[in-house]
């Protein structure tokens, strides 16, 4: 008996759930030990079912990374909604980044701490990563346009990213255990960034 044809909605739903579960499995087992059979067991389906939706392990990993970047981008954008001025936005962005690394540790690990998917075969991963980066870049660009910061947009954005990411990574690894927690260090880092890149005061 031929298999029933799946609707696009059914395909999308299965791929979304499989990607979510795969993200956890990649973190738990590592890339090398992950298999479609393990995924099928976790999903409660036959071991052949995932092959109806994904070409291979590499594609599933690429989908997991892309999904993680999209979640990350959305978390950063959402944090900016209630922030009125550029400085508040920068602080909200930094805190949202740190919060994401804690509340969505699997996604954070897959997108930042595991090997990358084949960029040429799966360009949608880079597209999703660029979406997240654009939030950081746009936030810094706005701060510079409004005079809250000064400097080259790309350089300042990379400096902000490096600082926030460093704090988030240390916090996730539970290395901030010498008298300061992640939030305290993060706020101090953002303060330092704002001072270092403050726009020069205009002469009266």
């Amino acid at each position: 008996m031929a298999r029933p044809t799946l609707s696009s909605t059914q395909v999308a739903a299965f791929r979304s759930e499989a990607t979510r579960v795969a993200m956890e499995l990649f973190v738990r087992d590592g890339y090398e030990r992950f298999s479609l059979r393990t995924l099928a067991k976790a999903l409660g389906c036959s071991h052949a079912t995932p092959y109806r939706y994904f070409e291979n392990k590499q594609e599933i990993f690429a989908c997991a990374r892309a999904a993680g970047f999209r979640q990350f981008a959305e978390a950063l954008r959402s944090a900016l909604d209630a922030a009125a001025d550029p400085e508040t936005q920068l602080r909200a962005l930094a805190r949202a980044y740190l919060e994401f690394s804690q509340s969505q540790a699997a996604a954070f690990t897959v997108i930042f701490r595991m090997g990358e998917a084949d960029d040429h075969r799966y360009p949608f991963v880079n597209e999703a990563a660029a979406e997240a980066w654009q939030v950081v870049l746009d936030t810094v660009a706005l701060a510079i346009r409004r005079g809250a910061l000064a400097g080259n947009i790309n350089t300042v954005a990379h400096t902000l990213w490096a600082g926030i990411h460093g704090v988030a990574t240390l916090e996730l690894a539970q290395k901030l255990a010498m008298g300061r927690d992640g939030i305290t260090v993060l706020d101090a880092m953002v303060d330092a960034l704002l001072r270092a890149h403050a726009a020069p005061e205009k002469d009266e």
Side-chain angles (χ1 to χ4, degrees):
M1 181 181 296
R3 292 173 176 169
T5 301
L6 297 170
S7 69
S8 59
T9 300
Q10 289 173 311
V11 171
F14 184 91
R15 283 176 62 90
S16 177
E17 176 62 9
T19 297
R20 183 190 67 79
V21 173
M23 191 180 292
E24 299 286 345
L25 293 176
F26 278 122
V27 174
R28 188 193 74 183
D29 300 338
Y31 180 84
E32 294 302 326
R33 294 182 60 192
F34 175 92
S35 69
L36 269 70
R37 185 179 292 272
T38 303
L39 176 61
K41 183 178 180 180
L43 291 169
C45 62
S46 75
H47 69 273
T49 298
Y51 286 100
R52 298 179 64 189
Y53 300 87
F54 300 95
E55 180 183 1
N56 50 33
K57 178 168 72 172
Q58 289 79 10
E59 184 186 3
I60 297 174
F61 184 57
C63 289
R65 283 175 54 77
F69 275 121
R70 286 192 291 269
Q71 292 171 21
F72 183 48
E74 181 56 32
L76 297 181
R77 279 194 297 264
S78 295
L80 300 177
D81 290 343
D85 60 273
E87 181 175 331
T88 304
Q89 285 192 337
L90 289 167
R91 294 184 185 282
L93 180 77
R95 290 205 170 202
Y97 197 122
L98 181 64
E99 170 60 26
F100 184 86
S101 73
Q102 299 298 305
S103 64
Q104 303 295 328
F108 188 83
T109 297
V110 166
I111 63 179
F112 286 123
R113 301 178 70 185
M114 297 184 71
E116 297 186 4
D118 189 320
D119 294 342
H120 299 293
R121 292 193 64 190
Y122 307 109
F124 58 83
V125 178
N126 280 340
E127 292 169 5
E131 180 184 345
W133 169 245
Q134 195 64 46
V135 180
V136 179
L137 197 64
D138 289 347
T139 304
V140 170
L142 179 63
I144 290 176
R145 285 200 304 272
R146 293 188 176 178
L149 294 175
N152 177 275
I153 294 172
N154 205 20
T155 299
V156 177
H158 273 84
T159 303
L160 177 67
W161 176 36
I164 299 171
H165 189 78
V167 176
T169 301
L170 288 169
E171 180 79 340
L172 188 62
Q174 299 182 343
K175 299 299 184 182
L176 291 176
M178 300 178 185
R180 292 293 183 272
D181 60 18
I183 287 293
T184 303
V185 175
L186 184 75
D187 288 346
M189 188 280 299
V190 175
D191 286 343
L193 178 83
L194 289 169
R195 289 194 300 271
H197 293 281
E201 294 185 4
K202 296 180 179 180
D203 294 332
E204 295 294 337

